[in-house]
Amino acid sequence: MANERMKPVASLILLLNFCMFAIVLGISGWAMNRAINHGFIIGPELSLPAHFSPIYFPMGNAATGFFVTFSLIAGVVGIGSITAGSNHLRAWSADSLPSAVSVAAISWSLTLLAMGFAWKEIDLHIRNAKLRTMEAFIIILSVTQLLYIVVILGSFARRV
């Protein structure tokens, strides 16, 4: 039997995660757009600079490209996790639990990967305010996504 008292807690965490994933998607989309618009353009002679990186971002440091790319992927999968989680909240049954937990676990693992690049970016120091905001949101999301998984799994644990 599912613990109905945990349903409002799960829905609050899901709403918080939705807002934060939407902000991460907005900032990482802005950074990706800026990198595409201001990136390196190969001229007619097709010569690359000595230290060319295909993941070049005009703002930030050497870890910014990886951080933004994986944050964008984590944000999209996180929104998918929100979709499966809202379906689970509507049904609140053991039948909808596996899909919600599996997508949330995948989203959490990708968020952890982005968090690792966020820590590397913090370690390298050079970044702007938008990237600092996205770093903070990714670090917070890694905790709240794990908390969401614990809440929905704990509400369906059998009491023996």
Side-chain angles (χ1 to χ4, degrees):
M1 190 69 183
N3 187 355
E4 287 289 329
R5 292 180 296 181
M6 297 306 281
K7 192 174 179 180
V9 174
S11 63
L12 180 67
I13 294 172
L14 206 60
L15 180 65
L16 175 70
N17 284 356
F18 174 76
C19 295
M20 292 176 66
F21 274 126
I23 292 170
V24 165
L25 278 174
I27 296 172
S28 59
W30 164 82
M32 187 67 72
N33 185 43
R34 184 157 180 223
I36 290 170
N37 288 341
H38 300 291
F40 180 76
I41 299 172
I42 299 174
E45 66 276 353
L46 296 176
S47 62
L48 295 174
H51 299 287
F52 174 71
S53 172
I55 306 178
Y56 169 74
F57 281 72
M59 71 293 214
N61 52 42
T64 301
F66 297 102
F67 173 59
V68 169
T69 302
F70 284 103
S71 294
L72 195 60
I73 294 169
V76 169
V77 176
I79 294 296
S81 168
I82 304 293
T83 305
S86 62
N87 183 38
H88 173 63
L89 282 176
R90 187 178 47 80
W92 200 252
S93 67
D95 294 333
S96 63
L97 180 67
S99 65
V101 171
S102 63
V103 177
I106 292 169
S107 171
W108 179 61
S109 64
L110 288 170
T111 305
L112 284 179
L113 184 61
M115 184 183 67
F117 287 118
W119 285 348
K120 184 61 179 177
E121 190 175 41
I122 291 168
D123 184 46
L124 295 177
H125 297 295
I126 304 169
R127 60 207 194 277
N128 63 15
K130 290 180 184 176
L131 293 175
R132 277 189 232 123
T133 302
M134 193 165 68
E135 291 163 2
F137 277 115
I138 286 291
I139 292 169
I140 293 168
L141 272 168
S142 66
V143 174
T144 58
Q145 190 72 9
L146 176 63
L147 185 63
Y148 168 70
I149 293 170
V150 168
V151 164
I152 63 173
L153 278 177
S155 63
F156 284 89
R158 291 191 176 206
R159 310 282 188 247
V160 179

